[in-house]
């Protein structure tokens, strides 16, 4: 009696890739390997992310979220699947609202009004990125702790 032999490996998402942010977008990486090559999909709060709008774009293996607004906040999950299995990676994303202060009366000593607004928006986006890095590092720490506990139990 012969049995078919399956040579494959379940998907593994590279967790060392970190989110990247440019001026208007944040990129959430989802580089996965496996045999056969895995397919990836994205969800936000458990709902499939629809790529045909101005807020979301695929760039290689990353989801780009552009024009970040509090409405787009949530848990984003990348799932990589193939016939050998599945792997996933989640990101908790929060966008601070950008509020525009009332325009100041221009004086010779004050900068142009929208220069201040741009500076505030840039600082807020840097804060969002720092929060995202902290959340991701905490996740990695918990994963390592679980692996250590499993190793000690065996």
């Amino acid at each position: 009696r012969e049995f078919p032999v399956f040579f494959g490996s379940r998907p593994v998402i590279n967790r060392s890739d970190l989110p990247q942010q440019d001026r208007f977008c944040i990129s959430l990486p989802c580089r996965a390997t496996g045999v056969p090559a895995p397919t990836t999909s994205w969800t936000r709060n458990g709902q499939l992310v629809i790529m045909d709008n101005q807020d979301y774009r695929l760039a290689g293996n990353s989801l780009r979220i552009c024009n970040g607004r509090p409405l787009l906040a949530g848990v984003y999950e990348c799932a990589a699947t193939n016939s050998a299995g599945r792997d996933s990676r989640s990101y908790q994303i929060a966008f601070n609202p950008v509020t525009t202060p009332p325009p100041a009366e221009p004086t010779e000593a004050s900068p142009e009004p929208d220069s201040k607004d741009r500076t505030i928006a840039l600082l807020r986006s840097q804060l969002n990125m720092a929060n995202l890095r902290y959340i991701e590092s905490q996740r990695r720490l918990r994963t390592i702790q679980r692996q250590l506990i499993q190793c000690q139990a065996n």
Side-chain angles (χ1 to χ4, degrees):
R1 200 169 180 203
E2 292 184 26
F3 295 96
V5 177
F6 174 75
F7 292 99
S9 61
R10 72 178 202 78
V12 176
I13 295 174
N14 184 333
R15 284 167 172 71
S16 65
D17 292 340
L18 296 175
Q20 301 294 316
Q21 185 171 8
D22 59 29
R23 188 173 176 140
F24 300 107
C25 299
I26 184 168
S27 295
L28 306 178
C30 185
R31 188 166 40 115
T33 57
V35 176
T39 59
T40 57
S41 61
W42 286 92
T43 59
R44 179 181 151 266
N45 298 332
Q47 299 294 316
L48 189 63
V49 172
I50 306 298
M51 299 295 170
D52 63 352
N53 68 47
Q54 65 186 13
D55 298 321
Y56 303 112
R57 294 183 184 95
L58 280 178
N61 53 33
S62 296
L63 173 66
R64 288 182 52 83
I65 305 169
C66 297
N67 308 313
R69 303 181 308 278
L71 176 69
L72 298 176
V75 176
Y76 286 82
E77 181 183 66
C78 168
T81 57
N82 68 11
S83 56
R86 179 182 193 277
D87 191 15
S88 65
R89 181 179 186 186
S90 297
Y91 300 90
Q92 175 75 44
I93 304 295
F95 295 102
N96 292 329
V98 176
T99 57
T100 305
E105 291 295 320
T107 65
E108 290 192 38
S110 67
E112 62 185 66
D114 75 326
S115 171
K116 181 179 177 183
D117 295 343
R118 284 193 305 253
T119 301
I120 290 170
L122 180 60
L123 290 172
R124 284 189 173 147
S125 71
Q126 289 171 347
L127 178 62
N128 281 339
M129 199 63 204
N131 287 338
L132 185 62
R133 284 189 194 112
Y134 173 78
I135 290 167
E136 185 62 26
S137 66
Q138 292 299 324
R139 259 196 200 104
R140 283 191 192 148
L141 178 61
R142 285 193 299 272
T143 300
I144 292 168
Q145 288 170 336
R146 279 194 300 270
Q147 289 171 345
L148 179 62
I149 290 169
Q150 288 173 350
C151 286
Q152 289 172 340
N154 293 334

